Coordinates of all heavy atoms in Angstrom, one line a residue:
D299 N 76.1 -11.8 -63.9 CA 76.8 -11.7 -65.2 C 78.1 -12.6 -65.1 O 78.5 -13.3 -66.0 CB 77.2 -10.3 -65.4 CG 76.9 -9.9 -66.8 OD1 75.9 -10.5 -67.4 OD2 77.6 -9.0 -67.4
E300 N 78.8 -12.5 -63.9 CA 80.0 -13.3 -63.7 C 79.7 -14.8 -63.6 O 80.5 -15.6 -64.0 CB 80.6 -12.9 -62.4 CG 81.6 -11.7 -62.5 CD 82.1 -11.3 -61.1 OE1 82.3 -12.2 -60.2 OE2 82.3 -10.1 -60.8
L301 N 78.5 -15.1 -63.1 CA 78.2 -16.5 -62.8 C 77.3 -17.2 -63.8 O 77.0 -18.4 -63.6 CB 77.5 -16.6 -61.4 CG 78.3 -16.0 -60.3 CD1 77.4 -15.8 -59.0 CD2 79.5 -16.9 -59.9
K302 N 77.0 -16.4 -64.9 CA 76.1 -16.8 -66.0 C 75.3 -18.2 -65.8 O 74.1 -18.2 -65.7 CB 76.9 -16.8 -67.3 CG 76.9 -15.5 -67.9 CD 77.5 -15.6 -69.3 CE 77.8 -14.3 -69.9 NZ 79.0 -13.6 -69.4
N303 N 76.1 -19.3 -65.9 CA 75.4 -20.6 -66.0 C 75.2 -21.3 -64.7 O 74.7 -22.4 -64.6 CB 76.3 -21.5 -66.9 CG 76.1 -21.1 -68.3 OD1 75.1 -20.7 -68.8 ND2 77.3 -21.0 -69.0
K304 N 75.5 -20.5 -63.6 CA 75.3 -21.1 -62.3 C 73.8 -21.2 -61.9 O 73.0 -20.3 -62.3 CB 76.1 -20.3 -61.2 CG 77.5 -20.8 -61.1 CD 78.0 -20.6 -59.7 CE 79.3 -21.4 -59.6 NZ 79.9 -21.2 -58.3
A305 N 73.5 -22.1 -61.0 CA 72.1 -22.1 -60.5 C 71.9 -21.0 -59.5 O 72.9 -20.6 -58.8 CB 71.8 -23.5 -59.9
F306 N 70.7 -20.5 -59.4 CA 70.4 -19.4 -58.5 C 70.9 -19.7 -57.1 O 71.5 -18.9 -56.4 CB 68.9 -19.2 -58.5 CG 68.4 -18.1 -57.6 CD1 69.0 -16.9 -57.5 CD2 67.2 -18.3 -56.8 CE1 68.5 -15.9 -56.7 CE2 66.7 -17.3 -56.0 CZ 67.4 -16.1 -55.9
K307 N 70.7 -21.0 -56.6 CA 71.0 -21.4 -55.3 C 72.5 -21.2 -55.0 O 72.9 -21.1 -53.8 CB 70.5 -22.8 -54.9 CG 71.2 -23.9 -55.7 CD 70.7 -25.2 -55.4 CE 71.3 -26.3 -56.2 NZ 70.7 -27.6 -56.2
N308 N 73.3 -21.2 -56.0 CA 74.8 -21.1 -55.8 C 75.3 -19.7 -56.2 O 76.5 -19.5 -56.4 CB 75.5 -22.1 -56.7 CG 75.1 -23.5 -56.3 OD1 74.9 -23.8 -55.1 ND2 75.0 -24.4 -57.3
S309 N 74.4 -18.7 -56.3 CA 74.8 -17.4 -56.8 C 74.9 -16.3 -55.8 O 75.3 -15.2 -56.1 CB 73.9 -17.0 -57.9 OG 72.6 -16.7 -57.3
L310 N 74.5 -16.6 -54.5 CA 74.4 -15.5 -53.6 C 75.5 -15.5 -52.5 O 75.5 -14.7 -51.6 CB 73.0 -15.6 -52.9 CG 71.8 -15.5 -53.8 CD1 70.5 -15.7 -53.1 CD2 71.8 -14.1 -54.5

Side-chain angles (χ1 to χ4, degrees):
D299 229 30
E300 271 177 36
L301 303 167
K302 276 190 188 73
N303 290 318
K304 277 213 165 174
F306 180 44
K307 66 180 177 196
N308 299 323
S309 68
L310 299 174

